[in-house]
Amino acid sequence: ENSLDIIVLWHVLEHLTDPVSTIRKAQKILKPGGSLVVAVPNFGSLQSRLFGKHWFHLDLPRHTYHFTRQSLLAILGKSGFHTKTLATRSFDQGIYGFIQSAINQLSTARPNMLYSILKSSQQKPGAAVISLQFLLAGLLAPFALLEYLGSGLSGTGACLMVRAKKKQVLDPE
């Protein structure tokens, strides 16, 4: 307890069965004034609302929890943290998330096909499918950039990134 200066949970919490317990454990491990850095997909994002069940970052069943700005800040606050910074701009998560989500919505093929191709998964589709995925990605890129800029300005980007400090003394609740 009280031994670490910083803990980073970068795209971890959404995969856990009990993310609140993990945040509380982090609070105990951090020194007073220590930092917790968290990044999760933003369920309240413009992309989530635009693409619904086709949203790339929904990633069921691997993502067991989904967070909005309000829910993440509430969990952090109740777990003994004070939020110092919150951002929703993530170039890679925002741009790629839009492109893959739009392809998912437009295509009847397996969801996240472009992601599987880029990851070099063992089950490769034919050349025509690969070509179509990359063609769509190229055509969607300008729209993805516009969404990235707009959602970044409005605070509704695809990813929540928070830096929080451990409170010196836990407020009684």
Side-chain angles (χ1 to χ4, degrees):
E1 290 190 12
N2 298 315
S3 61
L4 298 178
D5 293 315
I6 188 168
I7 295 175
V8 178
L9 299 172
W10 201 259
H11 291 279
V12 171
L13 292 177
E14 65 271 24
H15 296 275
L16 303 178
T17 57
D18 189 357
V20 174
S21 173
T22 299
I23 291 172
R24 288 183 178 149
K25 286 177 188 173
Q27 195 275 346
K28 289 180 181 177
I29 295 169
L30 283 169
K31 293 177 182 176
S35 292
L36 176 66
V37 179
V38 174
V40 294
N42 181 6
F43 193 67
S45 70
L46 178 58
Q47 280 185 22
S48 174
R49 292 190 306 271
L50 281 173
F51 297 111
K53 68 180 183 178
H54 301 289
W55 184 43
F56 173 67
H57 300 294
L58 191 60
D59 200 14
L60 298 171
R62 292 176 356 108
H63 290 178
T64 56
Y65 279 86
H66 296 94
F67 300 91
T68 63
R69 174 191 303 252
Q70 295 80 7
S71 67
L72 183 58
L73 294 181
I75 291 167
L76 290 170
K78 289 179 181 178
S79 298
F81 288 96
H82 173 69
T83 300
K84 300 302 278 179
T85 62
L86 183 141
T88 66
R89 275 195 179 162
S90 172
F91 188 75
D92 57 338
Q93 299 288 325
I95 300 287
Y96 182 78
F98 182 95
I99 290 170
Q100 183 62 76
S101 299
I103 292 173
N104 288 347
Q105 194 158 17
L106 293 170
S107 175
T108 58
R110 186 178 79 216
N112 303 330
M113 176 73 75
L114 180 59
Y115 183 70
S116 295
I117 293 166
L118 293 172
K119 278 189 356 180
S120 299
S121 66
Q122 296 172 357
Q123 193 177 23
K124 289 280 187 197
V129 172
I130 292 173
S131 298
L132 179 60
Q133 294 287 308
F134 281 102
L135 174 65
L136 287 171
L139 293 171
L140 291 165
F143 299 102
L145 184 58
L146 286 173
E147 185 275 336
Y148 169 76
L149 294 172
S151 64
L153 290 172
S154 65
T156 59
C159 185
L160 294 168
M161 294 156 294
V162 176
R163 184 176 63 87
K165 290 273 193 186
K166 178 178 177 176
K167 293 177 183 175
Q168 299 294 333
V169 178
L170 200 57
D171 296 331
E173 291 187 47

